Amino acid sequence: MELLFLGTGGGTPSRQRNVTSIALLLKGARSGCWLFDCGEGTQHQILRSPVKPGKIEKIFITHLHGDHVFGLPGLLTSRSMSGISGAMTLYGPKGLRQFVETSLSLSGSWLTFPLEIVEIEAGEVLNDGHFRVVAYPLTHPVECYGYRIEEHDKPGALDAARLLADGIKPGSLFQQLKQGKTVTLEEGRVVNGQDYLGPSLPGLTLAIFGDTSPTVAAQALAAGVDVMVHEATLEAALEEKANGRGHSSTVQAATVARDAGAKRLIVTHLSSRYLREDVSRLLEECRAIFPNTEMAHDFSLFRIEK
């Protein structure tokens, strides 16, 4: 899988950063794409990226502040005007349905594809057999969530040599055995695929935070994840100001990653006050606490792997 950051600014866009949207490219799992938030101008960012609107299966909204949702009506209507018919599901806090339906109705817009809107609460919001997504409540002036994405463990490698030694010839049954299923051979022998599989391969885990000041849910949301994405709206010297507006500082983001046992931290959602020359200083504030920290810029692409 890969994370592509379409917008990495906080609050308002700047010349160097658009407002928030992150694409999760499900490579290796399937060809689709999930979006996390859809700030104003996201569809313009998509035009400059490898993301295809027709491949977007789901959009997860962390909260209803404009810098996270104002791009949603435009993306939905442009997707329709392109004649895309593939279904899409939106997940987000209460009020998301009203926001979308009112925007479409008042603008005289319509959709050419099935759209499902799921207004969530804390807890599991999705389990499709390949991924499980759990929402955790964050601390922000409006209802806001972070999403933990867990890829289900993958079956271990099939020991073909053992199968051959036991007189089981290659064929269509091998695929079923590789999935751990029990099959019956032509001669009536019953074979359990689990007996011929190596140790299962753990799936990838991600934590994508919405806007938040320090919160009790952070440790559970990010516990042991392979990649954690967290806002770092302001520098450490402005921590009190950040917290007063429901945001976190560089040091606070890094502290969550360290205490949660995350393996890798990507910081995003920087205030528009910061220019390119400020990046190294902000990044060093994070790395002093959690060395394996990277900073996202618009169109940054990060591969997610064990």
Side-chain angles (χ1 to χ4, degrees):
M1 293 188 288
E2 294 176 336
L3 278 176
L4 174 62
F5 286 77
L6 297 169
T8 57
T12 60
S14 67
R15 290 181 181 273
Q16 297 173 352
R17 295 178 184 272
N18 196 50
V19 287
T20 297
S21 185
I22 305 169
L24 176 61
L25 309 177
L26 304 174
K27 295 187 173 181
R30 51 180 180 264
S31 62
C33 170
W34 294 355
L35 286 190
F36 290 83
D37 287 331
C38 189
E40 179 184 359
T42 292
Q43 66 172 319
H44 295 273
Q45 300 291 86
I46 287 174
L47 291 172
R48 300 169 59 196
S49 81
V51 173
K52 304 299 182 187
K55 294 290 187 179
I56 300 172
E57 302 172 354
K58 304 180 188 299
I59 301 178
F60 297 85
I61 300 297
T62 60
H63 64 294
L64 299 181
H65 275 160
D67 58 320
H68 295 255
V69 298
F70 280 174
L72 190 53
L75 176 59
L76 295 176
T77 52
S78 291
R79 198 173 186 266
S80 286
M81 292 176 73
S82 298
I84 295 169
S85 59
M88 179 187 285
T89 306
L90 307 182
Y91 300 87
K94 184 178 180 181
L96 178 61
R97 178 183 302 278
Q98 182 182 0
F99 171 73
V100 171
E101 292 180 350
T102 300
S103 299
L104 297 179
S105 175
L106 292 179
S107 62
S109 303
W110 66 92
L111 302 182
T112 60
F113 56 89
L115 178 68
E116 181 182 8
I117 301 175
V118 180
E119 295 189 332
I120 66 169
E121 296 178 347
E124 183 177 281
V125 299
L126 168 69
N127 194 335
D128 64 3
H130 197 111
F131 294 100
R132 177 174 182 256
V133 180
V134 182
Y136 287 80
L138 302 180
T139 303
H140 201 55
V142 299
E143 185 178 1
C144 184
Y145 294 95
Y147 293 100
R148 181 182 176 97
I149 303 98
E150 300 173 345
E151 185 181 30
H152 290 296
D153 291 348
K154 304 170 186 175
L158 184 67
D159 192 338
R162 273 190 60 211
L163 286 168
L164 291 171
D166 289 346
I168 305 169
K169 298 179 181 180
S172 60
L173 294 181
F174 264 42
Q175 186 60 39
Q176 297 180 53
L177 293 171
K178 188 175 182 180
Q179 296 170 357
K181 296 180 179 179
T182 298
V183 302
T184 302
L185 305 182
E186 290 182 1
E187 70 270 24
R189 183 162 40 129
V190 176
V191 179
N192 185 352
Q194 294 288 346
D195 297 336
Y196 294 89
L197 294 178
S200 61
L201 306 174
L204 296 167
T205 53
L206 299 83
I208 298 180
F209 282 71
D211 292 359
T212 188
S213 56
T215 184
V216 295
Q219 299 306 310
L221 170 54
V225 293
D226 295 300
V227 176
M228 170 182 150
V229 178
H230 199 290
E231 64 139 290
T233 303
L234 293 172
E235 61 195 283
L238 298 175
E239 194 166 274
E240 184 176 352
K241 181 176 182 179
N243 295 169
R245 297 179 178 179
H247 292 292
S248 297
S249 71
T250 50
V251 167
Q252 288 173 327
T255 299
V256 170
R258 181 196 66 192
D259 294 349
K263 299 176 179 63
R264 184 180 179 193
L265 168 64
I266 304 173
V267 292
T268 185
H269 199 273
L270 271 67
S271 166
S272 59
R273 72 173 60 209
Y274 297 117
L275 303 177
R276 197 169 300 278
E277 54 266 30
D278 299 310
V279 166
S280 60
R281 175 173 58 86
L282 299 175
L283 189 54
E284 283 309 308
E285 288 189 350
C286 294
R287 287 177 172 171
I289 304 294
F290 188 79
N292 196 17
T293 302
E294 299 164 273
M295 181 173 288
H297 301 273
D298 286 16
F299 306 110
S300 290
L301 182 67
F302 298 92
R303 184 168 179 80
I304 307 167
E305 53 192 358
K306 290 289 184 184

